[in-house]
Structure formats: structure tokens, C-alpha cells
């Protein structure tokens, strides 16, 4: 997959309206998952993380999980945590978020979340634990307005993660 193809897939995923739900039940667009699988990005950890991030953003939790569980990196742990949050396994998500530590994309996620009026920030950086708990609470309560707001934050989160993965794979800031 070229950088332009990766950017194109990420842009298409970012423009979806409504955004990906907090608890997707499968790939939201099967042809997109097929395209991600079909267009090879390479075999290294950065390429695998990129495919995992794009599959996750498309709601293909199984496809993303298959890749992220083999990535023993902070990015792999972050993708793994987001995937478990999306499947409703909130405790397991927090386990993987603890493994991440600090991540380069956290500043971008925090900035975007704050711009949307949802500052899940602790000590000046993104707090995936606070977001995880907010998602769990909103999903359990069935609060449609809160779920819609959190879906926008999740879109910002997935945008930042995909940009970071594209940047790691190809160098530079990919979605700027």
C-alpha cells in the first residue's frame, strides 16, 4: 500500500457520517476491509500496525485483533485496547492501555477531544482510561446523546492513531 492509498483509506473512514459506532458488530463496509487486506503495506511491525488500525476504524474487530495481538509495541497495545473497548470488554481494554504507557498520538487525541468539548485529559495528555469508562457508562445506560458525542471523540482517536501508523510506516505526518 502506498502512502497515498493509506491516506485515501483513512480519509474515507474519517469522512463517514455517522462515525463508526462505539460497539461495532462487524466491518461497517466489507469492501473497505477487503481493500485493506488486498493492498499490502509490507510485513514489518509498522505495516502490520497500519493495517490493524485501518481495519479497526472500519469496525473489523476480528481482523484488527488478529494483527494487533502479534504487535509487541505501544502501538500494538493501543490498538488492542481500543479493539477490546469496542467489543465491550472494558476491563481487558484497560489492561492493554496500561501496557501502552505514553504514546506519541496521545497529544493529538487530547487536542481533538478538547476541541469537541470532551477533554479526557490527565496530566496534559489523553486519558484512555477515562474515555473507556465514559464509553462503558454511556453504552450501559443507552444514552444516545452521550454515545453520539463519544463516537465523535472516538473518530478523533482513530484519526490520530491512523495518522501515527501512517507516519511510522512512511515517515512524517501523514494526514496533515
Amino acid at each position: 500500500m502506498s502512502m497515498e492509498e493509506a491516506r485515501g483509506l483513512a480519509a474515507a473512514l474519517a469522512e463517514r457520517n455517522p462515525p463508526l459506532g462505539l460497539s461495532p458488530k462487524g466491518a461497517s463496509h466489507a469492501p473497505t476491509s477487503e481493500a485493506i487486506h488486498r493492498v499490502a503495506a509490507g510485513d514489518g511491525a509498522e505495516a502490520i500496525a497500519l493495517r490493524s488500525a485501518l481495519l479497526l476504524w472500519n469496525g473489523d474487530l476480528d481482523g484488527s485483533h488478529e494483527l494487533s495481538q502479534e504487535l509487541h509495541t505501544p502501538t500494538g497495545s493501543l490498538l488492542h485496547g481500543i479493539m477490546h473497548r469496542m467489543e465491550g470488554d472494558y476491563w481487558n481494554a484497560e489492561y492493554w492501555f496500561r501496557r501502552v504507557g505514553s504514546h506519541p498520538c496521545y497529544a493529538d487525541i487530547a487536542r481533538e477531544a478538547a476541541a469537541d468539548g470532551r477533554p479526557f485529559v490527565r496530566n496534559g495528555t489523553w486519558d484512555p482510561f477515562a474515555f473507556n469508562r465514559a464509553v462503558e457508562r454511556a453504552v450501559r445506560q443507552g444514552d444516545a446523546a452521550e454515545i453520539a458525542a463519544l463516537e465523535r471523540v472516538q473518530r478523533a482517536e482513530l484519526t490520530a492513531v491512523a495518522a501515527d501508523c501512517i507516519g511510522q510506516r512512511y515517515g512524517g505526518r501523514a494526514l496533515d
Side-chain angles (χ1 to χ4, degrees):
M1 167 181 334
S2 71
M3 182 180 205
E4 291 73 29
E5 290 170 315
R7 291 174 85 177
L9 285 166
L13 291 165
E15 292 168 2
R16 286 209 181 137
N17 200 4
L20 181 67
L22 297 177
S23 304
K25 300 302 180 214
S28 61
H29 191 248
T32 300
S33 283
E34 292 166 11
I36 294 165
H37 282 295
R38 192 173 49 249
V39 183
D43 294 326
E46 294 86 1
I48 294 168
L50 173 57
R51 282 195 305 274
S52 178
L54 294 173
L55 288 168
L56 183 63
W57 201 352
N58 193 45
D60 188 344
L61 304 186
D62 291 338
S64 176
H65 187 241
E66 186 175 312
L67 296 171
S68 68
Q69 68 185 351
E70 299 301 322
L71 292 170
H72 306 291
T73 65
T75 297
S77 294
L78 179 58
L79 291 166
H80 208 150
I82 294 169
M83 186 282 309
H84 281 296
R85 184 190 70 224
M86 287 180 169
E87 72 177 1
D89 189 355
Y90 303 107
W91 178 89
N92 202 2
E94 293 206 3
Y95 166 82
W96 287 101
F97 293 143
R98 279 190 295 279
R99 293 186 59 129
V100 174
S102 180
H103 196 280
C105 73
Y106 279 2
D108 292 335
I109 301 169
R111 186 172 37 260
E112 291 299 319
D116 194 43
R118 307 304 223 156
F120 296 101
V121 178
R122 181 175 39 115
N123 298 325
T125 190
W126 174 244
D127 185 352
F129 303 98
F131 186 63
N132 187 57
R133 288 187 296 275
V135 168
E136 179 179 18
R137 189 170 40 256
V139 168
R140 289 207 172 140
Q141 293 174 353
D143 184 339
E146 182 68 3
I147 288 170
L150 295 172
E151 286 171 347
R152 289 191 304 274
V153 175
Q154 180 176 264
R155 179 180 6 213
E157 175 189 48
L158 293 169
T159 299
V161 172
D164 184 71
C165 288
I166 293 170
Q168 286 181 40
R169 172 68 176 96
Y170 299 106
R173 296 288 304 162
L175 299 179
D176 290 346

